[in-house]
Amino acid sequence: MHAALNQGPLDTIDAVDTPPRTQVAPAPVTVTVSERIEDVEAIWRVLSAGAIESPGQSYDFIAAWVRDRRIAPSQQRYIVGSVDGVPVALLPLHRKRVFGLPIFTWFPGAHAGCYAPVADYARLAGLGAAGRRALWAAMTGCLSGGDVVYLRSIPTEAGGQAGLFDELGTTLAVETLYRSRYPSWTECDRLQRCKSRRKHDRQQGDRLSAMGAVSFEEIGSGGDTEAAIATMFAQRSARFKAMGIRDTFVLDGLIGFYQDLARAGSGVDVRLHVLRLDGAIVAVRYNIVHGDRMFCLISSMSDDPAIQNGSPGKQCLLNVMQTVFDSGTSVFDMGSGYTDEKRHWCNEQIPLQQHYIGLNAQGQLIVAAHQAFQRTRARIKANPQLKSAVRSLRQVLERLRRRNAAPAAPVED
């Protein structure tokens, strides 16, 4: 496997970090860099063969993203760090400009919930803090052509190990990742639903059933997914419009990406959960499965006030919870950001951190400014009055944008 690292268009860089006097010297680190995702496919698949923390760690998901977005090879970086000749970690990075500034960051932005380096977690843990510091320093130290490495939404725990990425730049706590982990629906139901909660769910189900015949199904990759996905995005668009929020799926042309991802041969295991009322789709959840983990990326429900009275979104999720844990799923990942559904169903909360590395003096200034922005943003989210004021401002700006009919450029937050 190490020999494969040194074939083709890969650039090789050797680096050994000077160890602290009181610690054992870290093993030699070898770093290889490529601009073609195909060059690292074999290594990537080995490193991600077990559990992953996010679709952002899936080779097939990122390969599909790169193809769909037509990202030039010169804007791609795949950095493999090996210790004693054995690949331990891989950083897939997109070189892009944000506000005119060149940065290295994850490819899909906010579209995969959380991220982390693709890694052999057991070997990474075995390196210890000094060894990991040497590994990350060697991997990021070979980058050129950018000011900052900005790695958003990395969980503080991965592969059952805490702190594996603490030495990767400076960090800032920003969000929380919510997951449901249960051995069965029976156990989930016992722990998460009290008597009054079951009664409330039943009443909502009765209201929806009173409107017509309710059915629930799971549609897998290669199935009849196109209509369900189209309906999901139409429902999302209606919600974005009502809230005055930028519709990134439409404006950034991403609907085709998610349609293609669900087709046979994409390499990605997509599962759609669809709730119908008299045959019409009233709620959809778009999930990706890897091993025994399911990641929900997008959800939607009908904007019809009459149908919303029956809480189709909550009823769809209830059906999901009643079926997935008895069908091979042990972890259901609902992503970051607090919502009622996560409060109701998630028994795991994992802090997420932004990781920053300033590659030069300008980059260090950018890092300081962005961290200040993130702290301000967090304070606004925690203050209902400020949050409401910002939302109102966004709605005004969105109306002005529509009036001008000029799509806004995507911005990394």
Side-chain angles (χ1 to χ4, degrees), residues 178-193 197 292-293 317 320-334 341-349:
Y178 294 87
R179 288 173 173 166
S180 297
R181 185 191 297 267
Y182 302 103
S184 65
W185 159 245
T186 300
E187 186 70 1
C188 173
D189 183 44
R190 183 182 72 82
L191 293 173
Q192 295 300 121
R193 296 209 303 169
R197 174 87 186 280
D292 66 347
R293 295 190 174 193
L317 182 54
V320 172
M321 305 302 280
Q322 289 172 333
T323 57
V324 296
F325 296 113
D326 293 330
S327 302
T329 296
S330 64
V331 177
F332 183 49
D333 186 305
M334 296 194 196
E341 67 180 28
K342 294 170 186 177
R343 175 172 63 87
H344 288 157
W345 293 113
C346 295
N347 61 339
E348 284 192 357
Q349 299 181 20

Side-chain angles (χ1 to χ4, degrees), residues 193-208 309-311 314-315 318 340 343-344:
R193 296 209 303 169
C194 60
K195 183 177 180 180
S196 62
R197 174 87 186 280
R198 293 190 185 98
K199 179 180 179 181
H200 182 69
D201 288 342
R202 187 171 59 252
Q203 289 173 336
Q204 288 181 329
D206 290 343
R207 285 198 293 269
L208 194 62
N309 188 49
S311 301
K314 291 181 179 179
Q315 287 300 301
L318 174 61
D340 275 348
R343 175 172 63 87
H344 288 157

Side-chain angles (χ1 to χ4, degrees), residues 133 136-137 140 149 151 165-172 353-358 371:
R133 187 174 295 110
W136 303 131
T140 58
V149 180
L151 306 176
F165 312 115
D166 286 354
E167 297 78 24
L168 181 55
T170 61
T171 63
L172 179 68
Q353 296 183 147
Q354 318 285 50
H355 288 239
Y356 301 84
I357 300 168
Q371 288 180 332

